[in-house]
Amino acid sequence: MSVKTALRVIEIIETYAREKRALPLSELARLLDVPVSSCLALIRTLTGLGYLYETGRRQGYYPTGRLLAMAQRIAHADPVLDRVYPSLVELRDATRETVVFAKLSQDARVVYLDVLDSPHTIRYAPVAGEFKSIHANSLGKALISLLDGPARMAMLAGVEMTRYNERTLTTPAQVEEDIGLSRQRGWFMNNGESIADVGAIAWPLTLSGEHYAISVGGPIYRIEPRQAEYASILRSACAGLERQA
C-alpha cells in the first residue's frame, strides 16, 4: 500500500506538469484513473502538508511553490551534478544545443540525470528522469562502450531492441560494430535512430569510479554538419571533468 501511495503522489505531480492548470477533484481522479474517494484522501494530505492549495471554491487544486522549493534544495545538494553542472553549462553555451548528462540504470536503460535546454526555438527537449533504450541512443552506446566485450554483449542480448524506424540498430552485432566505428571517429552517434529528425553525439566519462556520459543533441540538420567540431568540445569537457575527479 505504501508503494502504491507513493506512486500515486508521483502521478499527481506529473499530471500537473502535463496539464499546467488547476484541476477539480473529479477531473484529477479521472486523469489518474482512481476512485474519487482515494484521490480525495491524497489531495487532503498534500494540501495539509502545503504542497497543494485550492485555487477557489469548486475551482480545483494546484501545487504551491513548496514543491519547487524542495526540488531546488535537493538539486543544489546533488553531489555529482554540483560537480559537473558548470561544465554542462559551458558545453551548452559553446554548442547552443541541448546537453544531457546520463548514466545506466540497474535495468540496463539510460536514465537522464540532468538536461540543459538549447536556446533555439526548434530544439531537442527531453526531461530529466527520462529512460531511454541503450541500443538507439548515443548516450547508451557511449555508456556500454566502457564495459568489456563479453559484459557488453551479454547486456545487449538481454534487452529488447525495439525498431523505431529504418535507421534503428536492432541486433547486438550491429551495435557492437557501431561502437567500434564510434571509438575510431571520436564520438558516439544517434543519427535519427530513435526520433527521426533528432541527432546527438555523446562521449563517456568516469567520475569516482562511476560511469557517466554527456551528449549534445538537436535537429539533425544542425547537428550533422558540426559533429566533429562538437565532438572535440565534448571530449575536452569530459577529460576536464575526469581530471577534477
Side-chain angles (χ1 to χ4, degrees), residues 90-91 94-95 226-238:
E90 289 180 5
L91 185 58
T95 62
R226 305 184 70 177
Q227 285 178 340
E229 175 190 349
Y230 290 167
S232 177
I233 299 171
L234 177 57
R235 289 193 305 270
S236 294
C238 290

Side-chain angles (χ1 to χ4, degrees), residues 23-45:
L23 295 168
L25 174 62
S26 58
E27 186 174 3
L28 183 57
R30 178 181 61 79
L31 291 170
L32 294 172
D33 193 24
V34 299
V36 172
S37 58
S38 299
C39 189
L40 177 60
L42 288 170
I43 291 299
R44 282 177 172 171
T45 299

Side-chain angles (χ1 to χ4, degrees), residues 70-83:
M70 294 297 104
Q72 288 176 332
R73 289 184 189 179
I74 293 169
H76 290 161
D78 188 302
V80 177
L81 293 183
D82 183 60
R83 186 192 315 176

Side-chain angles (χ1 to χ4, degrees), residues 197-212:
D197 297 325
V198 173
I201 62 167
W203 196 250
L205 68 157
T206 301
L207 301 174
S208 302
E210 291 291 319
H211 298 324
Y212 301 90

Side-chain angles (χ1 to χ4, degrees), residues 14-137:
E14 293 184 344
T15 297
Y16 277 111
R18 183 177 63 251
E19 296 296 322
K20 301 182 181 70
R21 59 191 174 89
L23 295 168
L25 174 62
S26 58
E27 186 174 3
L28 183 57
R30 178 181 61 79
L31 291 170
L32 294 172
D33 193 24
V34 299
V36 172
S37 58
S38 299
C39 189
L40 177 60
L42 288 170
I43 291 299
R44 282 177 172 171
T45 299
L46 291 171
T47 301
L49 292 171
Y51 286 97
L52 296 179
Y53 76 102
E54 193 169 10
T55 59
R57 186 169 179 81
R58 301 183 183 279
Q59 292 180 14
Y61 297 84
Y62 198 76
T64 69
R66 183 177 176 83
L67 183 60
L68 175 61
M70 294 297 104
Q72 288 176 332
R73 289 184 189 179
I74 293 169
H76 290 161
D78 188 302
V80 177
L81 293 183
D82 183 60
R83 186 192 315 176
V84 304
Y85 186 76
S87 295
L88 299 181
V89 171
E90 289 180 5
L91 185 58
R92 190 270 314 279
D93 292 347
T95 62
R96 293 181 59 80
E97 298 293 353
T98 297
V99 170
V100 180
F101 180 61
K103 71 176 303 184
L104 283 179
S105 66
Q106 292 183 344
D107 60 352
R109 292 184 294 168
V110 180
V111 56
Y112 289 0
L113 303 178
D114 202 8
V115 174
L116 278 68
D117 286 330
S118 162
H120 292 290
T121 302
I122 299 175
R123 63 182 183 269
Y124 175 44
V127 177
E130 280 191 54
F131 289 91
K132 299 291 183 178
S133 302
I134 57 175
H135 71 291
N137 185 277

Side-chain angles (χ1 to χ4, degrees), residues 165-216:
N165 56 52
E166 69 280 356
R167 295 185 178 185
T168 307
L169 307 179
T170 56
T171 69
Q174 288 176 327
V175 176
E176 185 70 10
E177 180 181 6
D178 188 78
I179 287 174
L181 293 172
S182 299
R183 285 183 175 134
Q184 292 176 24
R185 70 175 169 239
W187 68 86
F188 296 85
M189 181 173 65
N190 175 0
N191 193 29
E193 297 160 36
S194 50
I195 303 174
D197 297 325
V198 173
I201 62 167
W203 196 250
L205 68 157
T206 301
L207 301 174
S208 302
E210 291 291 319
H211 298 324
Y212 301 90
I214 301 173
S215 72
V216 176

